Amino acid sequence: MESKLVWLLQRRSKALNHIYNNIKHASTRVLNEQPSPSSPSSLLNPSRFFSSVSGRSAASSTCVAGRKSVIYGFRALHRHHKDFYKPSYRTMSTASVASIESKEGLKLLVTAGPHAQKVIGIWLFASAAWVFSMVILGGVTRLTRSGLSMTDWKFSGSLPPMSDEDWLIEFEKYKQSPEYKRVNKGMNIDDFKFIYWMEYAHRMWGRALGVMFALPFSYFMRKGYITLRLGLRLSALFALGAGQGLIGWWMVKSGLEEPPSEYTQPRVSPYRLAAHLTSAFVIYCGLFWTALSVVMPEPPAESVAWVRGAAKVKRLALPLSVLVGITAVSGAFVAGNDAGHAFNTFPKMGDTWIPDDVLSMKPLLRNFFENTSTVQLDHRILAAATLVSICGFWWSTRKLDIHPAIRSLIGSTMGMAALQVTLGISTLLSYVPVSLGTAHQAGALTLLTLMILLNHTVRKPSLSLLKSLPSVAKTT
């Protein structure tokens, strides 16, 4: 190895000496042959003028020869020492690679390679599935009227009653609530235990989710697997999840207050119920979108034609997703007003298409959030508009040149929308049984899931991927 280095240094020294001698020789000839500027007669004497020009031409040719020698010398230097430059490229840092990728438009959320990408993706998908189960369990809790069974709340939680005496104490607390006095008067201790356990399971399931999310998050942050952008996004989702417990208690407190009328059943505020459910939807959508971004940093694209088709789908899918979200939130106001127990007929509402009291409240805006007739009518109109829009969306995209995965997603979305409308009508006609009501709520979240997946799949690919795509996909 040492002998090779000595040989390379000798070759470098010879090349540099060759360059130096050529430059020195060329410079000396130019200075010696250049006419003196102090003799103006040379400009007047044609013979001297042309001789000076010829001298400069000779000097120019000498300079060209010198320049060629310089170029030859550097070429030789590069040729004989090219092995010295290779290690710098081999040892390029991952930060530089990430910088190059970001310049080309691809921004990875996980920096520790495919294995870390897979592990973090599984963790995020599991967290999203946990939130999905939380929403379903919350629906069961509401439909069984278990949400008001626990009359106090602690952020850290507490142990359930462990003895008969503890159960009696909790039961006495519940007996002071408006729900027991007006709805469940005469309830026995066994029935109370059922609704208490339902609410307790819902609260503890949420706290378990916080622990399951926080511990891996801390570990991945410590190992440096997560980028700053992903860390900020997950921190915001974690903070929203922690605030979800506060929103839930804020909602429950409204149901523990005395109703304004003695003929009104105690129930939670529809505004607070809608806020609680909407917050859960936001957390779920954020986790699911982030998990997709981790495991699928690039959308499925095999040709420029498919990318253009996906862009056309995206322009339609985005407003359609907003409509699906608004319809889901309107369902929260139906639940908050117990509007599903009124007008249990379809397609008419009772004997008419539009009830007479849809605008009976003052101010007018209250009808859309507190009037049972108006709330159910709004939900029916929005559900029908969603189904018609998704069917039109499928029809308008059936001839587009798009990826088969996108086409399959569009068909699945249309099928899920039809199933969701069927579940809604069945729930209404059956006077909202727990099973159908829970399935209808799960269907709304499933439809949202498909819309998220569709929007994520049709997003624009990075510049580096776009440059590598053929114009048309190869068909087998």
Side-chain angles (χ1 to χ4, degrees), residues 72-262:
Y72 171 80
F74 278 113
R75 284 179 178 173
L77 192 65
H78 174 70
R79 183 169 60 253
H80 293 308
H81 301 84
K82 59 183 178 181
D83 293 336
F84 280 94
Y85 297 95
K86 288 183 178 179
S88 63
Y89 294 103
R90 290 174 184 166
T91 58
M92 183 179 291
S93 64
T94 56
S96 301
V97 175
S99 175
I100 293 172
E101 289 175 344
S102 65
K103 289 179 181 179
E104 293 294 327
L106 178 60
K107 297 180 180 179
L108 298 177
L109 296 176
V110 178
T111 60
H115 178 69
Q117 188 178 17
K118 179 180 178 181
V119 172
I120 293 176
I122 292 173
W123 164 60
L124 290 175
F125 278 123
S127 299
W130 201 308
V131 175
F132 191 105
S133 68
M134 277 287 299
V135 175
I136 304 307
L137 184 57
V140 175
T141 303
R142 177 183 54 82
L143 290 169
T144 56
R145 302 191 68 93
S146 304
L148 301 178
S149 59
M150 296 179 67
T151 57
D152 54 8
W153 181 82
K154 294 180 181 178
F155 185 81
S156 58
S158 59
L159 293 174
M162 306 299 292
S163 63
D164 292 340
E165 183 179 354
D166 293 338
W167 278 111
L168 289 174
I169 292 174
E170 292 297 324
F171 194 24
E172 287 299 323
K173 292 180 182 178
Y174 179 66
K175 287 181 178 180
Q176 306 304 315
S177 67
E179 185 180 63
Y180 177 82
K181 295 176 181 178
R182 300 193 184 191
V183 179
N184 292 330
K185 195 172 182 65
M187 171 185 280
N188 58 42
I189 188 68
D190 292 331
D191 292 336
F192 170 71
K193 286 182 179 180
F194 172 78
I195 63 173
Y196 187 94
W197 279 120
M198 289 297 302
E199 175 63 13
Y200 185 82
H202 182 57
R203 295 188 185 189
M204 296 310 296
W205 198 243
R207 291 184 174 93
L209 170 61
V211 175
M212 191 277 287
F213 185 86
L215 292 181
F217 183 38
S218 302
Y219 173 78
F220 293 138
M221 288 289 289
R222 183 180 178 184
K223 296 289 287 186
Y225 291 171
I226 295 176
T227 61
L228 177 62
R229 188 161 62 100
L230 178 58
L232 292 175
R233 187 187 302 182
L234 294 179
S235 297
L237 290 172
F238 181 74
L240 190 57
Q244 180 73 340
L246 296 173
I247 296 174
W249 174 241
W250 177 60
M251 176 190 70
V252 169
K253 279 189 67 177
S254 64
L256 298 176
E257 299 171 356
E258 288 290 340
S261 171
E262 61 178 344

Side-chain angles (χ1 to χ4, degrees), residues 371-404:
N371 189 326
T372 300
S373 303
T374 312
V375 166
Q376 191 185 126
L377 178 62
D378 290 344
H379 191 59
R380 289 187 181 206
I381 293 173
L382 285 170
T386 300
L387 179 60
V388 171
S389 299
I390 291 178
C391 290
F393 173 60
W394 171 83
W395 180 265
S396 62
T397 58
R398 75 191 192 283
K399 293 184 179 180
L400 289 178
D401 188 11
I402 54 179
H403 196 283

